[in-house]
Amino acid sequence: MDDRKIIELFMARNEEAIRETEKKYGGLCRTIAGNILAVREDIEECVNDVMLGLWNAIPPDRPEDLKAYIARSVRNRAHDISREANAWKRGGRVQIVGDEFLSMLDDGTDLAAGYEARRAGEIISRVLEAVNKNDKKIFVLRYWLGMSIEQIAEQMRSGESRIKVSLHRTRKKIAEELRKEGITV
Amino acid sequence: MSTNIKPENRRLLEAVEYIDENIVLGVLSELRMPKEKHTDPVMTWRTPLKHWKSIAALAACVILLAFASPMASFISQVVSNFTSVAGGNAGAGTSELEMPTTAESEVIDSPYERSIYAYPEGMSAEEIYADVLKGGWVVNTDYEIVGGEKLWEDFLSKADNKTEASVLIASYYEESESIFLHSVSYDIEVYNCDRRYICQPENEDRISSFSAKYLVCHDMTSLTYAEKRNWDPPVKFVWFLTDYPEIPFIEQLITLDSDYNEFLIDNYPTWWSLIWLK
């Protein structure tokens, strides 16, 4: 079903909206949630929460891009569940992605909470705007969405080595920019 | 991988949360639907066990066929070929294509899933280059990893017989164009292609206009393309890697992960090893 029709169902408070959303985007939701959460029950809980969240948010929200809206919701909810369940200690892909990202900086990196993170976020955004479209996409899929190299390669219809090279280059550029801006490395 | 992340480093990860939303939304809007598959990492390993009866029956059939039919000699021949080449005696290349034909739609882009053959250790770069050029082997430089133009310049300058070929590089990355322009003067014919280039109809004219002696394949798809074109000589598939003395190059391939690419990029080689992949 077309996204516009699904949104119209939400606006009309027709429960068919949930069924159609689950049918169309259920797989995507589980994949995104599965990148962050390690346990099946948590993944299902996440997807269910997002479906409920959509029902509560639309209306008044009327997303222009339903897929992006859902993907972002799933990702954010999965991270919430992950934090709630203290998944950092239990493991999971988020930790692996984090370690990989952090490896570009020395262990001495120290960021003041909040402000430095926002500054760093702006710098990362600036770098991403400057790199080519594919490199930008690969970086976001890996570090924002938490996708595996294999999943990104499938998304990009590319080899895994290409993905790894792209990530390495982008990480290097970001590390350089962070250093220029005085973020301790 | 560490299991504990320092509180101050977690804040850096929080920086990712502050990436411009437009960037994120732009990427998310282009997401393709994933193939449906079992997503529970905990349950995944149990899935094959559910089908143990079928697996056992299949194994029994294979064993019966292997002993009871002429296929036995074929299988033993395949095994014999495999073990003799895997013994590492990959000196002068054979002219017979041993790669299995792969359906064009099946893409394998994971070198460490294939058998690996290596030059005997101790062979000099010059000896390897000479062997490559005389034996009809193809070279996949993956030059964007190892510092491309310098590598090709060095490789080509060592080539014994420059009249045998001229270089054409066609690849996904834009910087390959500079390598192409730089290398044509060496008159060595190596065609470097990955599946994204070789399988695009708009590149057909450019590809067919060159009578390359060697074909560089990044993956099975481009190799299959070469087979269908009846490329002469039969092509093989080679990774052209840096040599990192502390780590045997076979282990470099077997343990391919993100670290592999990082040390390749960060450690420009003084000489190179060639590894055959089959």
Side-chain angles (χ1 to χ4, degrees):
Chain A
M1 181 181 279
D2 186 66
D3 283 356
R4 281 173 301 176
K5 289 184 182 159
I6 294 177
I7 292 172
E8 287 311 320
L9 287 173
F10 273 109
M11 301 302 279
R13 309 312 285 160
N14 185 334
E15 291 179 6
E16 196 64 24
I18 299 290
R19 273 188 283 278
E20 290 297 328
T21 304
E22 162 67 43
K23 197 165 131 188
K24 188 170 182 182
Y25 292 115
L28 177 67
C29 291
R30 283 177 186 82
T31 298
I32 294 172
N35 289 336
I36 298 164
L37 303 167
V39 177
R40 175 187 259 180
E41 287 75 19
D42 288 347
I43 294 169
E44 289 304 320
E45 178 191 341
C46 175
V47 174
N48 289 337
D49 287 352
V50 167
M51 292 299 154
L52 178 61
L54 288 172
W55 181 256
N56 291 335
I58 307 173
D61 283 358
R62 193 184 183 105
E64 284 185 20
D65 187 324
L66 185 61
K67 180 168 60 178
Y69 187 89
I70 291 172
R72 186 179 53 177
S73 303
V74 171
R75 185 261 187 190
N76 290 341
R77 182 62 194 136
H79 271 290
D80 289 343
I81 293 175
S82 173
R83 275 189 283 271
E84 288 162 13
N86 200 20
W88 288 102
K89 291 183 182 172
R90 283 210 307 245
R93 199 185 305 277
V94 172
Q95 185 172 329
I96 293 172
V97 170
D99 286 347
E100 177 187 303
F101 189 56
L102 292 170
S103 67
M104 72 184 183
L105 301 174
D106 291 341
D107 286 341
T109 301
D110 183 8
L111 293 180
Y115 175 69
E116 287 285 0
R118 278 194 187 83
R119 264 187 74 209
E122 287 165 9
I123 292 164
I124 294 169
S125 297
R126 203 166 64 221
V127 172
L128 291 180
E129 288 292 7
V131 299
N132 71 47
K133 187 181 171 189
N134 285 336
D135 287 345
K136 175 168 65 181
K137 188 171 178 180
I138 290 168
F139 184 90
V140 171
L141 290 179
R142 180 71 175 146
Y143 296 115
W144 195 89
L145 209 50
M147 278 190 165
S148 69
I149 301 291
E150 184 188 350
Q151 287 171 330
I152 298 171
E154 198 266 331
Q155 273 286 323
M156 303 295 294
R157 292 191 173 113
S158 172
E160 288 186 20
S161 64
R162 293 283 182 273
I163 304 299
K164 290 170 187 172
V165 170
S166 168
L167 286 169
H168 180 87
R169 284 176 172 156
T170 308
R171 285 200 305 267
K172 267 199 159 181
K173 286 175 188 166
I174 289 172
E176 198 180 313
E177 290 301 315
L178 288 173
R179 287 187 191 102
K180 279 183 195 170
E181 295 289 332
I183 293 181
T184 308
V185 294
Chain B
M1 299 283 183
S2 62
T3 54
N4 295 308
I5 296 180
K6 295 178 187 175
E8 56 270 22
N9 289 341
R10 291 189 189 184
R11 289 197 286 273
L12 182 59
L13 274 188
E14 288 171 8
V16 172
E17 303 295 320
Y18 294 102
I19 291 177
D20 188 325
E21 191 173 79
N22 290 326
I23 293 175
V24 171
L25 290 176
V27 170
L28 294 181
S29 67
E30 293 177 1
L31 269 181
R32 289 190 295 114
M33 296 302 176
K35 291 175 192 170
E36 285 296 326
K37 59 182 175 180
H38 199 45
T39 56
D40 186 340
V42 175
M43 296 298 291
T44 300
W45 67 269
R46 295 182 188 166
T47 303
L49 294 183
K50 290 183 190 174
H51 307 289
W52 69 269
K53 288 182 185 172
S54 303
I55 294 170
L58 186 62
C61 288
V62 169
I63 292 168
L64 278 173
L65 277 172
F67 282 104
S69 78
M71 194 177 290
S73 62
F74 170 73
I75 291 174
S76 66
Q77 181 67 31
V78 169
V79 171
S80 170
N81 284 346
F82 179 89
T83 51
S84 67
V85 183
N89 184 22
T94 66
S95 61
E96 188 173 332
L97 180 65
E98 295 168 15
M99 277 266 204
T101 302
T102 306
E104 195 158 339
S105 60
E106 181 185 343
V107 174
I108 303 171
D109 196 39
S110 179
Y112 45 86
E113 290 177 2
R114 294 182 283 259
S115 303
I116 297 171
Y117 309 91
Y119 268 117
E121 289 190 24
M123 230 169 141
S124 70
E126 288 79 4
E127 287 168 333
I128 293 170
Y129 300 148
D131 197 59
V132 166
L133 288 175
K134 78 180 179 194
W137 295 94
V138 298
V139 177
N140 174 7
T141 64
D142 230 6
Y143 45 77
E144 60 271 8
I145 291 179
V146 297
E149 195 163 329
K150 183 180 179 308
L151 179 145
W152 269 107
E153 183 178 345
D154 196 64
F155 168 68
L156 295 169
S157 68
K158 288 178 166 64
D160 286 342
N161 188 353
K162 291 187 175 57
T163 62
E164 285 190 356
S166 61
V167 176
L168 165 69
I169 307 291
S171 177
Y172 180 71
Y173 285 92
E174 291 171 1
E175 50 261 41
S176 66
E177 292 300 317
S178 67
I179 296 174
F180 164 58
L181 295 171
H182 175 81
S183 301
V184 286
S185 59
Y186 286 101
D187 197 31
I188 297 176
E189 208 166 326
V190 179
Y191 191 72
N192 180 20
C193 217
D194 68 18
R195 66 172 180 274
R196 285 175 301 282
Y197 191 94
I198 204 167
C199 296
Q200 291 171 9
E202 57 266 29
N203 294 321
E204 184 68 33
D205 288 343
R206 189 179 182 191
I207 293 169
S208 58
S209 69
F210 287 92
S211 57
K213 186 173 177 65
Y214 307 106
L215 178 69
V216 181
C217 301
H218 283 245
D219 49 56
M220 288 294 289
T221 305
S222 47
L223 181 70
T224 306
Y225 176 94
E227 288 174 8
K228 289 188 176 179
R229 289 283 185 283
N230 201 25
W231 214 284
D232 180 29
V235 298
K236 289 201 184 234
F237 188 109
V238 177
W239 276 106
F240 195 37
L241 296 178
T242 60
D243 178 71
Y244 198 68
E246 287 79 6
I247 303 174
F249 51 63
I250 290 293
E251 286 183 21
Q252 288 175 23
L253 270 189
I254 292 171
T255 57
L256 269 176
D257 55 19
S258 62
D259 293 334
Y260 157 73
N261 282 313
E262 289 185 27
F263 80 70
L264 282 182
I265 293 168
D266 293 333
N267 297 280
Y268 292 97
T270 55
W271 66 279
W272 299 276
S273 298
L274 286 172
I275 299 177
W276 308 142
L277 294 184
K278 186 178 178 188

